[in-house]
Amino acid sequence: QSVLSQPPSVSGTPGQRVTISCSGTRFNIGTNYVYWYQHVPGTAPKLLIYKNDQRPSGVPDRFSGSKSGTSASLAISGLRSEDEADYFCAGWDDTLSGRVVFGGGTKLSVL
Amino acid sequence: QVQLVQSGGEVKKFGASVRVSCKASGYTFTTHAISWVRRAPGQGLEWMGWISPYDGATNYAQNVKDRLILTTETSTNTAYLELRSLTFDDTAVYYCAREETSSGWYEVWGQGTLLTVSS
């Protein structure tokens, strides 16, 4: 069971907007930054969002992140077929002498 | 350009050990910690630990800390992961990743190394 909780799957049709939630505690999301990664198995994970809501250069503005309290969200607008992948939230957790924690991952299907 | 290049896939017997390398280029190796992350079949991403090439400081995940050794060789800009007493649950793709200024922030990743543990 992952420290950060995500829905196992979400789906949408091309052009739609979907959101993926990430729930934590005061020991991780509540006090530290949240990061979002896109992962297609067999390739390297890709950073989509850093420091809660910042986009690295090269990441389309269709991807946006937000954080409130002990929860965070990733929104993907204008859904495209190539967005079909697994999405993970991540961050620092202050327990157990400190550690990086990932959410369990959300499979996005573009129907 | 900044990149991390990992060693090739491995097949190891149950109970054996494995060593995976991650060679950095395009930046000053000692200025960024290296984390190791794995993804087992049907599972999510799992952080295993990080190491600072600057001073060798390490931080290991609780579930592997008794079997995992992370090291770096600054003369060759290479980080190493050694995992001992392999079990079938260690079958996964292993990634090295460069930490930015905050833990969990990885902009640069290695291409991944598949480890298969067999009987």
Side-chain angles (χ1 to χ4, degrees), chain A residues 10-100:
Chain A
V10 297
S11 63
T13 56
Q16 271 191 330
R17 181 179 186 270
V18 298
T19 62
I20 299 171
S21 62
C22 176
S23 178
T25 70
R26 68 183 189 273
F27 298 113
N28 40 67
I29 293 179
T31 51
N32 299 299
Y33 290 122
V34 177
Y35 303 87
W36 288 93
Y37 296 90
Q38 178 190 63
H39 191 216
V40 176
T43 70
K46 177 184 178 182
L47 177 69
L48 294 177
I49 298 290
Y50 68 97
K51 290 187 176 182
N52 304 330
D53 57 11
Q54 303 298 301
R55 263 189 319 275
S57 60
V59 173
D61 59 7
R62 301 188 297 107
F63 295 90
S64 62
S66 64
K67 180 181 120 170
S68 178
T70 59
S71 294
S73 291
L74 173 72
I76 309 171
S77 60
L79 207 57
R80 305 175 69 159
S81 57
E82 57 259 39
D83 297 332
E84 190 160 288
D86 299 319
Y87 292 83
F88 296 87
C89 57
W92 183 254
D93 182 274
D94 294 325
T95 63
L96 297 178
S97 302
R99 52 181 176 160
V100 174

Side-chain angles (χ1 to χ4, degrees), chain A residues 33 35 37 39 41-47 50-51 56 86 88 90-92 96-100 102-104, chain B residues 35 37 39 43-47 50 59-62 93 95 99 101-107 109-112:
Chain A
Y33 290 122
Y35 303 87
Y37 296 90
H39 191 216
T43 70
K46 177 184 178 182
L47 177 69
Y50 68 97
K51 290 187 176 182
D86 299 319
F88 296 87
W92 183 254
L96 297 178
S97 302
R99 52 181 176 160
V100 174
F102 284 93
Chain B
S35 268
V37 175
R39 188 170 188 188
Q43 303 297 311
L45 295 173
E46 178 190 13
W47 177 78
W50 60 248
N59 186 2
Y60 297 135
Q62 288 289 310
V93 179
Y95 298 95
E99 286 221 354
T101 58
S102 174
S103 290
W105 183 1
Y106 309 118
E107 294 205 34
W109 293 74
Q111 82 276 20

Side-chain angles (χ1 to χ4, degrees), chain B residues 3-58:
Chain B
Q3 60 177 351
L4 300 173
V5 178
Q6 299 182 221
S7 49
E10 301 268 7
V11 179
K12 295 292 184 181
K13 295 285 191 184
F14 184 96
S17 298
V18 70
R19 193 189 199 203
V20 178
S21 67
C22 169
K23 184 173 177 59
S25 61
Y27 72 98
T28 302
F29 184 55
T30 53
T31 58
H32 294 263
I34 294 289
S35 268
W36 290 87
V37 175
R38 67 181 177 182
R39 188 170 188 188
Q43 303 297 311
L45 295 173
E46 178 190 13
W47 177 78
M48 301 182 71
W50 60 248
I51 182 166
S52 166
Y54 176 75
D55 59 6
T58 55

